[in-house]
Amino acid sequence: MALTYATSHGHDAARFFGPLVDLYECVYAEPPYEEGPDQVSRFRDRLPGEAARPGFTLVTVTEGSSLVGAAYGWTMSAGTGGPAPTATRPPRSARRRSWPSWNGSSTRTAEVRELARS
């Protein structure tokens, strides 16, 4: 079956919150995360506030009617909410936390979450 990619912004993404929580629960139950109901509940509770952030964008991947992957993030002004700016790109391991703009732009991604299920 073909994969379908879609982009949603802000509160328009709310229609995906239920399937997104289910996907999160499936993905992060596995090692090394081994997250349980408390973490899933925290993820669910934070979604509306994250979707309200300026620049919030959600990209979903569906196969038929099933959500099989997603990534989302938002933008913030450079120099806010993260460590001091550096001239080098952050390591791949930093992709789930905030970091300053590494390319000198006036905005930066504050958070990027990637979820996928095989």
Side-chain angles (χ1 to χ4, degrees), residues 52-116:
R53 291 177 181 259
F56 180 89
T57 301
L58 169 67
V59 177
T60 56
V61 184
T62 55
E63 185 174 36
S65 62
S66 298
L67 182 67
V68 296
Y72 71 85
W74 57 86
T75 55
M76 295 175 64
S77 299
T80 60
T86 63
T88 59
R89 188 175 185 147
R92 186 163 173 79
S93 61
R95 69 179 178 216
R96 286 199 62 226
R97 64 180 180 86
S98 61
W99 62 79
S101 174
W102 60 270
N103 64 359
S105 69
S106 62
T107 60
R108 67 181 173 91
T109 300
E111 180 83 23
V112 174
R113 295 186 186 253
E114 303 165 5
L115 306 173

Side-chain angles (χ1 to χ4, degrees), residues 15-88:
R15 67 179 189 256
F16 292 104
F17 286 179
L20 193 58
V21 170
D22 293 342
L23 183 61
Y24 180 94
E25 183 175 27
C26 177
V27 169
Y28 286 101
E30 302 284 326
Y33 307 105
E34 298 180 348
E35 293 189 3
D38 290 344
Q39 291 85 5
V40 173
S41 179
R42 189 175 316 123
F43 176 78
R44 178 186 306 106
D45 293 346
R46 290 182 178 170
L47 277 174
E50 291 175 346
R53 291 177 181 259
F56 180 89
T57 301
L58 169 67
V59 177
T60 56
V61 184
T62 55
E63 185 174 36
S65 62
S66 298
L67 182 67
V68 296
Y72 71 85
W74 57 86
T75 55
M76 295 175 64
S77 299
T80 60
T86 63
T88 59

